[in-house]
Amino acid sequence: MSRPRIAVTHRIPPSVTPLGDWLREVRDEIVLVTTAECAELYRNDFRDIRVVPDYSGGDHVERALEELAGRGLDRIVSGTEDDVLRVARVRERHGIPGMRVDAARHFIDKHVMKSAVREAVRVPAFAAADDPPALRALRATVPPPYVVKPRRGYASRGVTVVHDADRLDHELAARDLGASMVEEFIEGRMYHVDGLMRAGQLLVCYPSAYLNTCLSFQDSTPLGSAQLDDGGLRDDLTRLAAQVVSALPHTDLTPFHLEVFGDRRGGLVFCEIACRLGGGHIMETFTHKLGTNPVRIWYRDQAGLPAEGDLGARGEPSGSAGFLLVPPRPGTVLRIDTPTLPDFVTGFTVNTDCPRTFDGASASTDEMLGFVVNGRDYTEVSQHLQLCMSIANEITHWA
């Protein structure tokens, strides 16, 4: 058995990300750091698997990487938001290729991120919650409502909209000020742009429009998204993405997930960007347009393997794709019937046992049912997603 040369930190099952196939050339040189559940599923792919008791919390993953790096690692491969900063710390301490800590902070800390891009693109007015002068200036110049959010985090966890100054004081009193920020509320549509970047340049990107917002889960409303084909709006979002990517620290080949507000006057306003693939079913819709799985390209590149050739030369497949996430609502779901699905549904998932009692959803990516659809264009995909909402209502039975 070869010594572990590559550490892979990963908590997604092989049914979604078949790492054994993607990294076949070096699978005997890999040590996989993962959860107990995923460890069993990857047993036939990797000989060396390290199970950590709490993948997302604590320092278990970083300690496992530190021990492996001390014995000699050439590369670390990772792909989730949980891993960005801790992997960067280990890489930096041991001289392993890949993103360093300062660059990681620009993609993790929303205050650092917005400070870096505000000269390049329009951003909401914002202030760190532990900066009283900045907060006073924000409140003096921007009327409510305000958005209070963690400086670090994803899937809209911990994001609250407050509608008056007294409520803002109450909300901040209950938070860790050093880990929080306040920003202007932008009323309008939300878009996301998903792509691959390298060295401050866009390689490919695909703009999409949300059907609702990333806070829809708070009302148990489905979150949907459809890829855009309108030339003007799509081009404007692509230009904004290029400006944001150029303004931030340059990366190796890396996916990005950029969220953008469209205000009532038709302007585009930066929300945030992540240096990883978007959640929900963005991987499937991205793969539809790219023609190959972007996570496979990314993981192979991190492992030092040939990726998928010249991405810029790829022809874009015709048509559009979209997804729908149906969150749980407070109550008890008794059963979910097996539906007869239209041909335009290319993916359908049920992510719960029945019966089951829910308190609601806690994040934008909380998904009881999921749909992935294709269509000729944005309009048709949007219509298909509306039909999927009806299907979800018909097959789900609540007490």
Side-chain angles (χ1 to χ4, degrees):
M1 176 177 171
S2 303
R3 73 167 176 86
R5 188 177 65 83
I6 302 167
V8 178
T9 63
H10 195 74
R11 57 173 172 79
I12 310 299
S15 58
V16 179
T17 51
L19 300 184
D21 290 336
W22 289 356
L23 305 175
R24 181 173 298 277
E25 301 99 311
V26 292
R27 59 196 295 179
D28 290 339
E29 302 173 66
I30 287 175
V31 55
L32 177 66
V33 180
T34 190
T35 65
E37 294 79 8
C38 281
E40 291 306 312
L41 300 174
Y42 281 108
R43 288 291 176 198
N44 293 330
D45 293 310
F46 303 109
R47 299 177 185 177
D48 195 346
I49 299 179
R50 310 294 171 89
V51 174
V52 294
D54 182 0
Y55 190 96
S56 296
D59 63 351
H60 305 286
V61 170
E62 188 165 346
R63 285 165 55 193
L65 290 176
E66 187 67 30
E67 187 267 330
L68 291 167
R71 293 165 46 200
L73 279 178
D74 294 336
R75 293 179 177 269
I76 301 175
V77 178
S78 65
T80 65
E81 184 92 3
D82 306 327
D83 290 323
V84 173
L85 194 56
R86 62 194 179 197
V87 167
R89 287 193 291 259
V90 177
R91 284 171 173 157
E92 190 165 297
R93 285 194 292 263
H94 294 271
I96 298 170
M99 184 176 288
R100 295 297 192 255
V101 172
D102 180 67
R105 286 199 181 104
H106 282 76
F107 291 96
I108 292 291
D109 187 318
K110 295 171 178 55
H111 187 271
V112 174
M113 178 192 304
K114 286 181 168 67
S115 299
V117 304
R118 62 183 167 189
E119 297 299 322
V121 296
R122 181 182 164 199
V123 303
F126 66 94
D130 62 350
D131 185 346
L135 268 179
R136 285 194 296 270
L138 176 67
R139 295 171 72 158
T141 56
V142 177
Y146 304 108
V147 181
V148 184
K149 62 173 65 174
R151 290 175 58 154
R152 298 180 185 177
Y154 55 95
S156 299
R157 291 180 176 90
V159 178
T160 302
V161 179
V162 297
H163 293 273
D164 58 69
D166 291 340
R167 180 62 188 170
L168 177 59
D169 292 335
H170 177 78
E171 182 67 33
L172 291 177
R175 294 190 180 232
D176 176 357
L177 297 183
S180 305
M181 63 182 295
V182 181
E183 67 180 42
E184 173 187 9
F185 179 81
I186 305 294
E187 188 169 2
R189 291 205 68 179
M190 276 205 78
Y191 306 97
H192 62 93
V193 185
D194 301 277
L196 291 163
M197 59 184 174
R198 179 171 53 207
Q201 301 292 320
L202 294 185
L203 301 181
V204 293
C205 75
Y206 305 113
S208 302
Y210 284 116
L211 269 63
N212 295 310
T213 78
C214 293
L215 297 181
S216 297
F217 73 93
Q218 296 179 349
D219 298 320
S220 301
T221 302
L223 173 66
S225 165
Q227 291 168 339
L228 291 166
D229 51 55
D230 171 71
L233 178 57
R234 186 178 64 178
D235 292 348
D236 289 345
L237 285 163
T238 298
R239 278 192 294 271
L240 186 142
Q243 291 167 328
V244 169
V245 167
S246 179
L248 289 165
H250 294 181
T251 66
D252 297 334
L253 189 151
T254 306
F256 68 87
H257 175 65
L258 167 66
E259 294 189 337
V260 181
F261 302 111
D263 68 17
R264 286 189 161 187
R265 295 170 295 178
L268 297 178
V269 186
F270 173 84
C271 176
E272 58 190 57
I273 187 171
C275 58
R276 41 90 181 159
L277 200 68
H281 292 284
I282 287 174
M283 185 176 76
E284 292 95 323
T285 59
F286 198 154
T287 299
H288 168 79
K289 295 299 282 186
L290 188 63
T292 189
N293 193 307
V295 182
R296 180 181 186 273
I297 295 174
W298 183 26
Y299 272 37
R300 287 181 63 81
D301 186 78
Q302 288 184 83
L305 297 171
E308 290 292 322
D310 183 5
L311 293 169
R314 290 180 176 277
E316 184 174 306
S318 61
S320 180
F323 67 87
L324 184 74
L325 307 180
V326 181
R329 71 189 197 201
T332 300
V333 60
L334 299 176
R335 75 177 193 275
I336 298 174
D337 298 333
T338 301
T340 300
L341 295 170
D343 290 341
F344 60 72
V345 177
T346 60
F348 172 69
T349 54
V350 177
N351 294 295
T352 183
D353 297 322
C354 295
R356 182 177 175 184
T357 299
F358 292 97
D359 294 326
S362 60
S364 63
T365 53
D366 282 1
E367 170 190 3
M368 190 175 70
L369 300 176
F371 296 83
V372 181
V373 307
N374 289 342
R376 290 190 300 268
D377 52 28
Y378 168 80
T379 299
E380 186 172 75
V381 168
S382 298
Q383 293 168 348
H384 289 169
L385 293 176
Q386 294 292 339
L387 290 171
C388 289
M389 290 187 197
S390 299
I391 292 170
N393 289 332
E394 291 170 2
I395 66 175
T396 308
H397 301 272
W398 294 86

